[in-house]
């Protein structure tokens, strides 16, 4: 009988992990946790001040981080960013989010377009640009942060649900197409996560509407909960591919069945 594999990624200390949307929420928490797991983390997002401050915090804790301001929808900028890397161990496609909660009948096409651009084309841009470096690493991992919205719909979710379904399909298709190369594709699909900005962004800064999303829910997931699932999946031995991990708070049985304490 052989001993079980060690529960950590091979040579993690020398490996680079690129995280998109690292300026807040799940992305920032993932950056902290992957850095603590030994990765050299590269933090990207549009808000330079936020990622620079986080890189400073991570470096002060004795880990390794750099910040690079990047809009994932800007293909030329993404391609320029990718030239900095010969090899990349992990890419976490986390940048994204929702805009609005209008029904299909009245939803703003501009919101739908922007959600598709950020969640889907953004993921496509940076995954395409870094795929050669992920392959060159000999052991690459692409993480796609979709959502339970990528696996079922809900009223008022149309544009976001459509974009997250597309992101799910991107992950599934990529996995089929690159099988046999040393790159695995992991999809993480969280349910309700209480982060500082997600609902605020969705409702254009309306704090009341944003608060209602989590009203009465005893314990929504936190950014750290999701970062832990990401860190666990990417630190499995290379031959282990967690295709899809769905994670929800206990109080949420489905996208539409949520227990709220009054
Ligand atoms: N919170 C939830 O309930 C939940 C549930 C399931 C899935 N998710 C998904 O998890 C991911 C993170 O969500 P979160 O809750 O942590 O939200 P968040 O705090 O609003 O984080 C979104 C991140 O994406 C970045 N971003 C947005 N547009 C970008 C662009 N064009 N280029 C580069 N970065 C961009 C933002 O940074 P900048 O503004 O600085 O660019 C920010 O760092 C998203 O993909 C979201 O859809 C969230």
């Amino acid at each position: 009988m052989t001993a079980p594999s060690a529960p950590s990624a091979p040579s993690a200390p020398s490996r680079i992990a690129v995280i998109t949307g690292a300026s807040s929420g799940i992305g920032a928490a993932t950056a902290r946790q992957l850095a603590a797991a030994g990765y050299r983390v590269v933090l990207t997002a549009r808000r330079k001040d936020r990622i620079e401050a986080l890189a400073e915090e991570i470096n002060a804790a004795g880990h390794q981080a750099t910040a690079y301001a990047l809009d994932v929808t800007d293909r030329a900028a993404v391609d320029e960013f990718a030239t900095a890397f010969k090899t990349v161990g992990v890419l976490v496609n986390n940048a994204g989010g929702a805009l609005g909660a209008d029904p299909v009948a009245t939803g703003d096409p501009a919101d739908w377009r922007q959600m598709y651009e950020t969640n889907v084309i953004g993921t496509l841009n940076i995954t395409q640009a870094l795929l050669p470096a992920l392959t060159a690493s000999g052991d690459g991992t692409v993480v796609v942060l979709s959502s339970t919205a990528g696996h079922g719909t809900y009223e008022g979710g149309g544009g976001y649900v459509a974009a997250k379904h597309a992101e799910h399909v991107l992950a599934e298709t990529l996995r089929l197409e690159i099988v046999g190369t040393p790159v695995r594709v992991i999809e993480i699909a969280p349910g309700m996560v209480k982060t500082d900005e997600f609902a605020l962004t969705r409702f254009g800064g309306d704090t009341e509407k944003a608060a209602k999303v989590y009203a009465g829910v005893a314990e929504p997931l936190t950014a750290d909960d999701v970062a832990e699932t990401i860190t666990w999946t990417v630190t499995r031995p290379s031959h282990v591919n967690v295709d899809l991990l769905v994670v929800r708070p206990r109080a949420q049985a489905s996208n539409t069945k949520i227990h709220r304490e009054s």
Side-chain angles (χ1 to χ4, degrees), residues 21-27 45-47 70-73 94-97 118-119 145-148 160 164 190-193 195 197-198 201 214:
S23 60
S24 62
I26 295 166
R46 291 166 303 180
R47 285 170 295 175
L70 186 65
D71 181 338
V72 288
T73 67
N94 164 79
T118 309
N119 292 282
L145 241 291
S146 65
S147 167
T148 53
Y160 182 59
K164 286 301 188 184
M192 181 185 283
V193 191
T195 54
E197 299 185 3
F198 178 83
T201 303
Y214 310 104

Side-chain angles (χ1 to χ4, degrees), residues 106-209:
T106 56
D108 185 345
D111 285 347
W112 282 58
R113 210 169 276 126
Q114 197 180 327
M115 286 188 277
Y116 198 87
E117 271 293 321
T118 309
N119 292 282
V120 189
I121 306 298
T123 296
L124 178 69
N125 280 342
I126 195 147
T127 302
Q128 283 185 341
L130 288 181
L131 206 48
L134 286 152
T135 309
S137 77
D139 180 17
T141 300
V142 176
V143 176
V144 174
L145 241 291
S146 65
S147 167
T148 53
H151 298 268
T153 194
Y154 56 94
E155 289 151 292
Y160 182 59
V161 166
K164 286 301 188 184
H165 271 68
E167 225 183 317
H168 160 66
V169 168
L170 186 161
E172 291 262 277
T173 309
L174 178 65
R175 191 180 303 114
L176 292 174
E177 290 170 348
I178 64 172
V179 69
T181 73
V183 180
R184 58 187 171 177
V185 181
I186 294 170
E187 179 186 350
I188 308 288
M192 181 185 283
V193 191
K194 191 171 182 189
T195 54
D196 294 338
E197 299 185 3
F198 178 83
L200 261 186
T201 303
R202 179 168 214 165
F203 294 109
D206 186 326
T207 48
E208 217 168 286
K209 279 189 183 167

